[in-house]
């Protein structure tokens, strides 16, 4: 069976990226051309990362040039132990020499062995297509963390305080003296729970909710901070606040008992390394010499429940020298049998405050009850500046909807008995205006109900703080239909709202898990919105290494917390599909190698749970939340098995496992043949399946050639039957419009996209939605619906792939966008569309506009790439590029006519095509 995915993509060509190093030369010529500029240096996908633990970190860069068809023919990397060495072009850690290669990403450092706490300053220059040498890039940087267990002198510390039932927040401090001139100070920290470090009265770093959620029994992430500027001569105070977080908080809607998942109380581990200018060092570690208290102002913190803060119990100066901590107690060093996984560096971008929003209205809905309204559903918390009275307590209740009386609706929070959720409490210390914001919780909300004030608060007294994983936002899509533009914004807002260390399902009710299904269903949209390479490099450890069950299947959510998590078809397959999408988008073969053994175990599970090449194992949710247009569970199980084997064949080939690749490919063919025999009828129907069945068949390469016409006709019938409404669930929805595209039914895809009545993508927009809903009918614009009904749930937002990848037409034609395809789908309903995507190789733009029968297409392709461009045209001879016949334009090569489009191959640069549209468009 021919391997297909949502779009056919070419396998990575190893020859084109073969590196040949020129050795033996002492010096290289000075730059002779300014045509190419090297910028945006990245190490392990991040800019200047601190405390990494990759022994051969992967490096990459962007090339910018105004010349068409610019490409890199060679590169040189220098890595030095100091900025001074690098400035004089001395690579004492690594001088790659001139490497003849066009690769600019996934380049492994192969210099001097990297050790704990080492620092590396690096830069790169390239040779362009004419052999001219660029200037050196601006310097990049990375530092190593504590790589070995013996490097850690710090202990896990907490306090002797019995949880009731949840542990109270802890305040910890350590006094130490510095009497030398400081060169550099670096602190390595983590916690079982959440922590905020303080040094001499200042917050350390801007990372929130650290460390981010992992299976603490398997591994715990460490954060690294440069605190040189916070240090003082003489006495210093290193302090910390500890909260419950995911480790020991009360959470999970299916856990009715009040029992934490991992541990009963939080612990801190921190190691401050101070380097002095005379070459000596000092180390400050967590141990029994620290002192602490639970009698601070932060009285309670829960990820789900919220925070309680009593300002009357504030301890001014507790994190500064001079504070009297005689009443505090010695820290408790954790018992040797504390169950904790290995310490690892944080791979992904930190959770940060990424933006702030102001409310648009405040109203008194009941005496003394004020509701603030924002014009955007968001995730984070609020900072307030309210005037109160001493010992007066104000409550902030967060929610996504309002009741008929204007109060905040709580019915969709699935509140467990004895739990209060999304509620912050603050007790005033004075009669003056006081300002506060939480630190160890987050809420999903558009409305905030404030109770306990004696006077109406000013509109500007409250600020919404948006908190999410700070993944770079790399894509934009706009078009002539305002509702679709709002849809695109809603998709991005739901991604922001659910990416905090793990890709969660929802941000408000007491669930908020890293569901493997939701993540992989949405992933082709996610990569267009954000650079998620580092994010998924972290989370795929949670999935593939920490959440694989003994029989080989992957759990349906990660981090996981015990047996019984799945299997669940579509969800468990995330352990195969997500690594593949990282490979496809970023050219990342390391992620394949890292998880290859786990993925092979999963394939064995699929094989053992099949009979006659049909999947017979547990299915699970099926096409979750479909409304009549789903698919038979047997069909789903076998379709995903076939698809997994297809993807594994490609990934095995990419890392040189050719024997496995052949075996996987053969098995995929057999499953495909069995699928056709068992489930596809002579009339083109699919057994007990509607839209979702066809969506899977067309996008998973399961449509036999002789049956294509009949299956296309039946697919169209299923769309007509529901008057173009998507009636698919979580599994079918992401593939519905791409499947219609592959079936040649883009007219139907446009009809479905543009439908404004429920169920549809645009219906929520018409009633004011600002995020993606969990259910097609989550709200009618008037009456709130309770139960499992999130208004911020990105799964159905997977339609974003069609916006970027089909309407915009941007797709990788080789892993990592080394080759690009621009093939916009232009139909009635849109007059123009502008799509931008900052790929790992640089910016790609597809900007088309139709005026009558005239089409203009502006295309931008980044340096060191090529593209195949499909220009819809009545007559290829009439197509122009920058005012001249396209076939004769610089850097443009006419290839063929295909499906009413003139197809061209182009190099990097900016292009302006004009064509007469064919009558069919």
């Amino acid at each position: 069976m021919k391997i297909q995915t949502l779009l056919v993509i070419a396998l990575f060509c190893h020859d084109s990226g073969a590196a040949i190093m020129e050795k033996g030369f002492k010096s290289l010529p000075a730059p002779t051309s300014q045509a190419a500029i090297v910028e945006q240096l990245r190490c392990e996908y991040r800019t200047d990362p601190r405390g990494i633990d990759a022994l051969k970190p992967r490096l990459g860069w962007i090339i910018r040039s105004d010349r068409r068809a610019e490409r890199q023919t060679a590169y040189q990397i220098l890595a030095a132990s100091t900025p001074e060495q690098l400035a004089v072009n001395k690579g004492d850690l690594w001088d790659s020499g001139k490497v003849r290669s066009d690769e600019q990403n996934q380049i492994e450092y192969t210099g001097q062995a990297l050790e704990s706490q080492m620092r590396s300053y690096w830069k790169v220059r390239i040779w362009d297509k004419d052999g001219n040498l660029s200037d050196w890039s601006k310097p990049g940087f990375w530092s190593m963390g504590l790589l070995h267990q013996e490097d850690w002198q710090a202990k896990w510390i907490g306090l002797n305080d019995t949880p009731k039932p949840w542990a109270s927040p802890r305040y910890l401090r350590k006094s130490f003296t510095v009497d030398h001139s400081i060169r550099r100070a670096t602190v390595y920290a983590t916690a079982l729970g959440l922590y905020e470090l303080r040094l001499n009265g200042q917050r350390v770093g801007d990372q929130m909710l650290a460390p981010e959620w992992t299976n603490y029994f398997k591994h715990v992430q460490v954060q690294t901070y440069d605190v040189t500027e916070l240090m003082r001569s003489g006495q210093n105070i290193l302090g910390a606040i500890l909260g419950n977080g995911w480790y020991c908080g009360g959470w999970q809607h299916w856990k009715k008992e009040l029992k934490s998942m991992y541990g009963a109380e939080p612990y801190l581990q921190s190691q401050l390394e101070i380097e002095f200018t005379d070459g000596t060092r000092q180390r400050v570690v967590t141990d029994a010499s620290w002192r602490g208290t639970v009698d601070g102002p932060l009285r309670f913190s829960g990820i789900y429940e919220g925070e309680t803060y009593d300002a009357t119990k504030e301890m001014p100066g507790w994190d500064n020298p001079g504070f009297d901590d005689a009443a505090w107690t010695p820290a408790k060093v954790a018992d040797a049998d504390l169950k904790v996984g290995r310490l690892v560096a944080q791979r992904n971008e930190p959770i940060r405050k990424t933006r702030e929003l102001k409310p648009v209205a405040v109203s008194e809905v009941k005496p003394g009850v004020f509701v603030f309204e924002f014009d955007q559903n968001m995730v984070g918390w609020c900072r307030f500046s309210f005037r109160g009275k001493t010992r007066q307590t104000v409550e902030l209740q967060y929610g996504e909807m309002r009741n008929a009386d204007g109060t905040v609706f709580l019915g969709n929070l699935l509140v467990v008995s004895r739990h209060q959720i999304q509620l912050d409490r603050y007790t005033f210390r004075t009669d003056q205006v006081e300002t506060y914001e939480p630190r160890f919780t987050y809420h999903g909300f558009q409305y905030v109900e404030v109770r306990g004030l004696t006077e109406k608060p000013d509109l500007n007294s409250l600020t919404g703080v948006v908190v999410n994983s700070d993944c770079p936002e790399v894509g934009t899509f706009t078009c002539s239909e305002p509702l679709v533009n709002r849809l695109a914004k809603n998709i991005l807002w739901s991604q922001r709202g659910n990416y905090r260390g793990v890709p969660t399902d929802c941000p408000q009710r007491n669930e908020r898990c890293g569901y493997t299904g939701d993540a992989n269903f949405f992933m082709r949209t996610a990569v267009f919105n954000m650079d998620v390479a580092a994010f998924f490099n972290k989370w795929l450890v949670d999935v593939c290494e920490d959440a694989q069950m003994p029989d080989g299947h992957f759990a349906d959510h990660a981090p996981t917390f015990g047996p019984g998590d799945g299997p669940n078809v579509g969800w468990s397959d995330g352990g195969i599909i997500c690594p593949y999408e990282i490979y496809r988008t970023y050219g990342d073969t390391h992620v394949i190698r890292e998880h290859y053994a786990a993925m092979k175990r999963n394939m064995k599970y699929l094989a053992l749970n099949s009979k006659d090449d049909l999947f017979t194992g547990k299915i699970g949710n099926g096409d979750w939340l479909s409304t009549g247009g789903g698919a038979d569970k047997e069909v789903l199980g076998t379709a995903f098995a076939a698809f997994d084997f297809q993807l594994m064949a490609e990934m095995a080939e990419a890392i040189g496992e050719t024997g496995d690749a052949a075996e996987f490919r053969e098995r995929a063919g057999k499953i495909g043949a069995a699928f056709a025999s068992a489930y596809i009828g002579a009339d083109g129907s699919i057994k007990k399946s509607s839209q979702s069945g066809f969506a899977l068949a067309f996008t998973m390469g399961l449509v036999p050639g002789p049956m294509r016409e009949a299956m296309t006709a039946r697919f169209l019938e299923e769309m007509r039957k529901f008057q173009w409404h998507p009636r698919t669930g979580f599994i079918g929805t992401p593939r519905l419009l791409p499947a219609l595209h592959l079936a040649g039914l883009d007219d139907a895809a446009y009809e479905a996209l543009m439908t404004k009545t429920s169920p549809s993508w645009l219906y929520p927009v018409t009633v004011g939605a600002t995020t993606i809903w969990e259910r097609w009918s989550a709200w009618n614009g008037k009456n709130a619906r309770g139960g499992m009904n999130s208004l911020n749930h990105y799964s159905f937002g997977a339609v974003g792939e069609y916006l970027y990848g089909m309407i915009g037409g941007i797709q990788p034609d080789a892993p990592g966008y080394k080759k690009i395809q621009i093939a916009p789908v232009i139909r009635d309903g849109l007059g123009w569309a502008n799509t931008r995507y900052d790929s790992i190789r640089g910016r790609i733009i597809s900007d088309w506009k139709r005026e009558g029968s005239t089409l203009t297409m502006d295309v931008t392709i980044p340096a060191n790439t090529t593209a195949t461009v499909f220009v819809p045209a009545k007559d290829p001879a009439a197509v122009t590029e920058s005012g001249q016949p396209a076939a004769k334009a610089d850097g443009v090569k006419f290839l063929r006519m295909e499906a009413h489009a003139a197809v061209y191959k182009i190099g990097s640069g900016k292009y302006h095509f004009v064509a007469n549209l064919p009558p069919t468009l």
Side-chain angles (χ1 to χ4, degrees):
M1 180 183 67
K2 184 179 179 181
I3 295 176
Q4 295 176 331
T5 57
L6 296 187
L7 285 174
V8 178
I9 66 173
L11 287 174
F12 184 84
C13 178
H14 292 279
D15 291 339
S16 65
I20 304 173
M21 181 182 294
E22 293 186 358
K23 298 181 178 180
F25 57 86
K26 298 297 183 181
S27 62
L28 294 167
T32 57
S33 171
Q34 296 299 316
I37 297 173
V38 182
E39 58 188 10
Q40 297 182 42
L41 273 59
R42 297 182 299 269
C43 172
E44 288 296 308
Y45 293 116
R46 297 170 60 193
T47 302
D48 300 339
R50 297 182 184 278
I52 68 173
D53 56 9
L55 297 180
K56 293 184 177 180
R58 294 164 291 170
L59 308 178
W61 53 85
I62 297 293
I63 302 167
R64 179 162 54 88
S65 174
D66 294 331
R67 296 201 302 172
R68 285 190 175 183
E70 185 65 276
R71 59 189 178 89
Q72 169 189 299
T73 58
Y75 67 80
Q76 181 188 13
I77 299 172
L78 290 183
S81 57
T82 67
E84 293 78 16
Q85 291 271 64
L86 191 68
V88 295
N89 299 330
K90 291 185 178 180
D92 60 321
L93 296 181
W94 185 34
D95 183 344
S96 71
K98 182 178 181 181
V99 181
R100 293 190 179 279
S101 170
D102 61 357
E103 288 307 320
Q104 65 186 95
N105 290 300
Q106 312 297 344
I107 298 171
E108 286 191 351
Y109 168 88
T110 58
Q112 180 179 322
L114 299 173
E115 298 293 341
S116 294
Q117 304 186 59
M118 279 182 63
R119 302 166 71 85
S120 178
Y121 303 84
W122 68 289
K123 60 185 178 180
V124 62
R125 60 181 178 178
I126 69 164
W127 283 258
D128 66 16
K129 65 180 180 180
D130 298 323
N132 296 319
L133 185 59
S134 76
D135 280 336
W136 287 107
S137 67
K138 292 181 179 179
F141 163 83
W142 79 80
S143 69
M144 305 304 292
L146 301 179
L147 302 179
H148 312 291
Q149 184 58 45
E150 56 267 28
D151 296 327
W152 281 96
Q153 301 302 307
K155 307 296 183 183
W156 288 107
I157 64 169
L159 288 178
N160 284 305
D161 177 66
T162 303
K164 307 180 286 289
W166 314 123
S168 300
R170 280 94 161 100
Y171 288 76
L172 296 161
R173 71 192 304 266
K174 167 70 176 180
S175 175
F176 62 96
T177 301
V178 172
D179 54 11
H180 289 69
S181 175
I182 296 173
R183 179 187 179 200
R184 183 182 301 118
T186 305
V187 63
Y188 305 91
T190 189
L192 301 177
L194 299 174
Y195 73 90
E196 179 183 300
L197 279 187
R198 314 283 300 182
L199 182 55
N200 296 325
Q202 300 295 313
R203 192 185 199 280
V204 174
D206 61 357
Q207 181 162 353
M208 313 304 296
L209 302 176
E212 295 164 18
W213 188 11
T214 58
N215 183 335
Y216 303 94
F217 300 153
K218 301 284 188 174
H219 72 280
V220 181
Q221 288 192 317
V222 175
Q223 292 72 48
T224 303
Y225 309 94
D226 185 332
V227 293
T228 308
E229 297 302 317
L230 299 180
M231 297 289 293
R232 301 174 181 173
S233 178
Q235 188 182 19
N236 289 258
I237 295 294
L238 181 60
I241 309 172
L242 279 180
N244 291 327
W246 295 276
Y247 178 75
C248 54
W251 55 284
Q252 296 301 332
H253 75 281
W254 53 82
K255 293 289 182 180
K256 303 296 183 183
E257 71 274 15
L258 295 179
K259 181 182 178 182
S260 57
M261 287 295 172
Y262 301 101
E265 55 187 306
Y267 290 90
L268 173 72
Q269 184 162 297
S270 173
Q271 185 159 313
L272 172 61
E273 298 279 352
I274 308 170
E275 305 171 49
F276 299 113
T277 54
D278 63 4
T280 60
R281 303 173 70 96
Q282 181 178 348
R283 180 177 290 150
V284 180
V285 303
T286 46
D287 57 20
S289 67
W290 285 55
R291 299 182 66 79
T293 183
V294 296
D295 197 27
L298 186 59
R299 309 304 298 163
F300 173 81
S301 72
I303 286 286
Y304 294 65
E305 300 92 336
E307 286 195 356
T308 299
Y309 188 92
D310 184 350
T312 67
K313 302 182 76 65
E314 287 182 342
M315 306 170 291
W318 75 269
D319 52 0
N320 261 313
F323 178 78
D324 182 4
D325 62 8
W328 290 30
T329 59
K332 175 183 70 173
V333 175
D335 295 336
D337 61 355
L338 177 68
K339 187 176 181 181
V340 60
R342 60 192 174 93
L343 298 182
V344 300
Q346 174 155 340
R347 295 185 175 195
N348 52 312
E349 293 87 358
I351 298 171
R352 292 189 175 103
K353 303 176 188 179
T354 58
R355 51 190 43 80
E356 295 186 349
L357 303 178
K358 298 300 294 186
V360 295
V362 59
S363 56
E364 188 170 12
V365 297
K366 290 181 178 180
V369 178
F370 307 97
V371 173
F372 285 84
E373 176 184 354
F374 292 85
D375 62 3
Q376 175 64 54
N377 195 11
M378 71 182 82
V379 180
W381 53 69
C382 283
R383 179 177 64 249
F384 66 78
S385 295
F386 292 153
R387 183 185 300 276
K389 296 185 180 297
T390 302
R391 300 192 182 281
Q392 175 186 356
T393 297
V394 62
E395 296 183 338
L396 280 72
Q397 177 69 68
Y398 298 76
E400 295 183 307
M401 295 178 278
R402 288 192 290 187
N403 295 302
D405 64 359
T407 56
V408 169
F409 178 70
L410 304 181
N412 68 334
L413 299 184
L414 296 177
V415 179
V416 175
S417 176
R418 295 172 64 190
H419 278 226
Q420 293 195 343
I421 194 165
Q422 298 215 135
L423 179 67
D424 293 334
R425 295 186 179 93
Y426 179 85
T427 299
F428 288 89
R429 183 172 58 89
T430 69
D431 295 343
Q432 306 302 311
V433 173
E434 296 181 12
T435 300
Y436 181 74
E437 65 180 291
R439 53 169 57 85
F440 293 147
T441 188
Y442 69 87
H443 311 301
F445 66 100
Q446 189 168 353
Y447 302 94
V448 182
E449 181 176 311
V450 179
R451 304 185 292 262
L453 295 178
T454 55
E455 59 184 47
K456 182 177 180 179
D458 183 77
L459 180 64
N460 292 320
S461 62
L462 193 77
T463 300
V465 181
V466 179
V467 179
N468 55 271
S469 287
D470 196 13
C471 304
E473 295 182 1
V474 295
T476 59
F477 175 88
T478 55
C479 67
S480 57
E481 173 50 67
L483 293 178
V484 175
N485 293 337
R486 182 67 244 191
L487 171 65
K489 291 180 181 178
N490 291 1
I491 295 168
L492 177 57
W493 271 103
S494 281
Q495 187 170 349
R496 289 177 185 143
N498 284 287
Y499 272 30
R500 261 171 311 284
V502 303
T504 61
D505 58 326
C506 60
Q508 71 297 94
R509 66 173 180 249
N510 46 342
E511 191 169 0
R512 312 189 195 184
C513 288
Y515 280 107
T516 48
D518 304 51
N520 95 71
F521 303 149
F522 183 71
M523 195 162 179
R524 287 212 170 174
T525 294
V527 297
F528 278 124
N529 281 335
M530 296 180 180
D531 179 348
V532 298
F535 181 89
F536 272 88
N537 265 251
K538 177 270 182 188
W539 186 65
L540 285 172
V541 175
D542 298 330
V543 175
C544 297
E545 307 307 315
D546 296 353
Q548 188 168 42
M549 298 295 106
D551 64 358
H553 82 265
F554 296 115
D556 62 7
H557 56 282
T560 188
F561 28 80
D565 298 327
N568 195 344
V569 167
W571 278 252
S572 298
D573 305 272
I576 303 297
I577 296 172
C578 291
Y580 175 80
E581 293 300 333
I582 293 296
Y583 162 63
R584 176 180 185 264
T585 305
Y586 305 107
D588 189 341
T589 54
H590 177 272
V591 75
I592 301 174
R593 293 188 180 92
E594 182 176 14
H595 305 302
Y596 191 69
M599 291 191 287
K600 283 189 69 174
R601 288 192 293 270
N602 182 77
M603 306 317 290
K604 185 176 181 180
Y605 160 80
L606 292 177
L608 290 175
N609 285 272
S610 298
K611 183 178 180 181
D612 298 327
D613 294 312
L614 299 177
F615 183 73
T616 57
K618 181 181 177 182
I619 301 297
N621 292 336
D623 194 21
W624 186 245
L625 299 184
S626 62
T627 58
D632 182 80
K633 286 191 174 184
E634 294 179 21
V635 170
L636 297 177
T638 299
F640 270 97
F643 193 56
D644 288 348
F645 275 100
Q646 293 170 32
L647 301 188
M648 279 299 290
E650 289 193 42
M651 289 190 283
E653 194 80 45
I655 62 171
E657 297 288 348
T658 55
D660 285 350
E663 184 179 324
F664 293 143
R665 193 170 289 114
E666 180 182 6
R667 187 60 186 265
K670 290 180 178 179
I671 298 173
F675 179 94
S677 176
Y679 305 132
I680 299 176
D683 61 351
S685 61
I686 301 178
K687 179 184 177 182
K688 299 179 183 178
S689 299
S690 181
Q691 294 173 350
S692 291
F694 289 99
L696 268 62
F698 275 93
T699 61
M700 292 181 169
L702 298 173
V703 177
M707 295 301 301
R708 182 178 181 83
E709 185 176 350
M711 292 183 71
T712 297
R714 290 302 296 262
F715 193 6
L716 187 59
E717 285 180 24
E718 291 299 323
M719 297 304 298
R720 285 200 181 105
K721 181 170 73 174
F722 294 111
Q723 292 81 48
W724 315 111
H725 292 85
R727 303 300 291 268
T728 45
F730 278 25
I731 285 177
T733 298
R735 297 177 176 273
L736 182 62
L737 300 193
L740 289 168
H741 172 69
L742 290 174
L745 299 174
D746 279 300
D747 287 339
Y750 261 62
E751 287 279 1
L753 175 64
M754 298 298 178
T755 296
K756 299 178 181 63
T757 52
S758 183
S760 70
W761 287 284
L762 294 187
Y763 168 72
V765 180
T766 66
V767 296
T770 60
T771 44
I772 301 299
W773 296 348
E774 180 177 18
R775 297 175 179 271
W776 291 115
S777 56
W779 190 39
N780 62 8
K782 297 179 181 178
N783 301 315
R785 175 176 175 174
M788 191 190 74
N789 188 34
S790 166
L791 295 189
N792 197 346
H793 205 111
Y794 54 60
S795 291
F796 288 158
V799 69
E801 181 201 353
Y802 191 79
L803 304 183
Y804 281 99
M806 283 78 179
I807 294 176
I810 298 175
Q811 293 284 352
D813 218 9
Y817 285 87
K818 189 170 187 176
K819 297 179 182 178
I820 300 162
Q821 177 178 284
I822 306 292
V825 172
I826 300 171
R827 295 293 186 274
D828 287 339
L830 292 180
W832 59 268
N834 186 307
T835 310
R836 172 187 62 80
Y837 173 55
D838 291 336
S839 75
I840 194 170
R841 287 177 171 263
R843 178 161 294 181
I844 304 168
I845 296 176
S846 168
D847 183 5
W848 60 261
K849 183 178 183 179
R850 58 186 298 176
E851 292 181 298
S853 61
T854 301
L855 171 71
T856 58
M857 271 182 63
D858 290 300
V859 175
T860 299
I861 303 299
N864 206 33
T865 67
T866 60
T868 303
V869 180
F870 292 71
V871 181
K874 179 180 179 181
D875 178 6
V879 179
T880 64
E881 193 287 306
S882 297
Q884 58 182 313
K888 297 181 180 180
D890 176 40
V892 180
K893 179 181 179 181
F894 176 73
L895 299 178
R896 63 189 180 275
M897 281 294 293
E898 180 179 320
H900 305 293
V903 185
Y904 301 92
K905 181 177 181 179
I906 62 175
S908 64
K910 298 180 179 180
Y911 298 83
H912 177 72
F913 293 96
V914 179
N916 292 319
L917 287 166
T920 54
L921 301 183

